[in-house]
Amino acid sequence: MTKLDMELLDLLQEDCRLPLEKLAVMTGSTVTEVAEAIARLEEERVILRYAPTINWDKTDRDRVEAMIEVKVTPQRDMGFDAIAKRIYRFEEVKSVYLMSGSYDLLVLVQAPTLKELALFVSEKLSPLETVTGTATSFVLKRYKEEGVIFEGDTPDNRLVISP
């Protein structure tokens, strides 16, 4: 991974809509170098997608989100990977993380209604043969996600001009 690669990843994570020309200036590179580096990072699956952070509470879309702590029995010769793969294939699942601590997997899920989310846990997740326990916590309000504050103080990124 080159210095340019790391600079681009930091900049794109902060704002994935930055034009190539601006990225080139910010990194001290040419537009061609930046375009080639980004194309390579995409091809190597370092950059997987470009997505905005959305405050869904300001929209009309109904959705329920939860974080589920899952305890599992790892499978021989596959560890946690096989059960994680089964879980992340469900449509309701948005993220799956292998964790240290008192549970094995953290599963972030969303569904249109509380009933649909409860049915996912009771009919799809809990019955899996390697799942030995779950604990579900519902997201009530988001304050900050991906470094973005949802309400309240918004940083003023303007340059200070003094006489």
Side-chain angles (χ1 to χ4, degrees):
M1 194 84 28
T2 68
K3 181 181 180 220
L4 174 60
D5 292 346
M6 296 307 293
E7 289 175 348
L8 288 171
L9 292 174
D10 286 337
L11 291 168
L12 290 171
Q13 186 173 24
E14 188 66 31
D15 183 359
C16 64
R17 295 182 66 206
L18 289 170
L20 292 176
E21 295 78 15
K22 191 167 187 176
L23 289 168
V25 170
M26 295 171 84
T27 60
S29 304
T30 67
V31 173
T32 303
E33 290 170 329
V34 167
E36 289 173 354
I38 290 173
R40 183 176 35 74
L41 290 166
E42 291 171 348
E43 185 178 316
E44 293 173 356
R45 295 190 45 81
V46 174
I47 297 175
L48 299 174
R49 81 175 200 180
Y50 301 88
T53 301
I54 298 170
N55 186 349
W56 289 106
D57 292 340
K58 296 197 179 253
T59 70
D60 294 334
R61 180 185 286 178
D62 289 328
R63 67 188 214 150
V64 178
E65 296 174 291
M67 296 180 186
I68 305 172
E69 299 170 359
V70 183
K71 292 182 183 181
V72 301
T73 303
Q75 294 182 330
R76 173 169 281 168
D77 299 327
M78 296 178 149
F80 295 99
D81 295 346
I83 187 62
K85 187 174 184 179
R86 266 188 92 183
I87 291 171
Y88 71 58
R89 288 187 172 174
F90 290 117
E91 180 182 336
E92 297 87 350
V93 174
K94 298 303 168 196
S95 301
V96 178
Y97 303 98
L98 178 61
M99 305 296 290
S100 64
S102 60
Y103 56 92
D104 302 306
L105 300 173
L106 179 64
V107 181
L108 281 61
V109 297
Q110 80 179 34
T113 66
L114 180 61
K115 182 177 181 178
E116 289 176 74
L117 200 142
L119 286 173
F120 164 75
V121 174
S122 64
E123 294 181 0
K124 294 180 181 177
L125 182 62
S126 293
L128 294 174
E129 60 278 352
T130 57
V131 172
T132 60
T134 64
T136 303
S137 299
F138 293 96
V139 175
L140 302 177
K141 182 177 181 177
R142 290 187 184 281
Y143 293 99
K144 184 177 182 178
E145 180 177 302
E146 299 293 328
V148 178
I149 299 170
F150 278 62
E151 292 182 20
D153 298 337
T154 54
D156 186 354
N157 293 326
R158 295 178 292 174
L159 296 175
V160 176
I161 299 175
S162 56

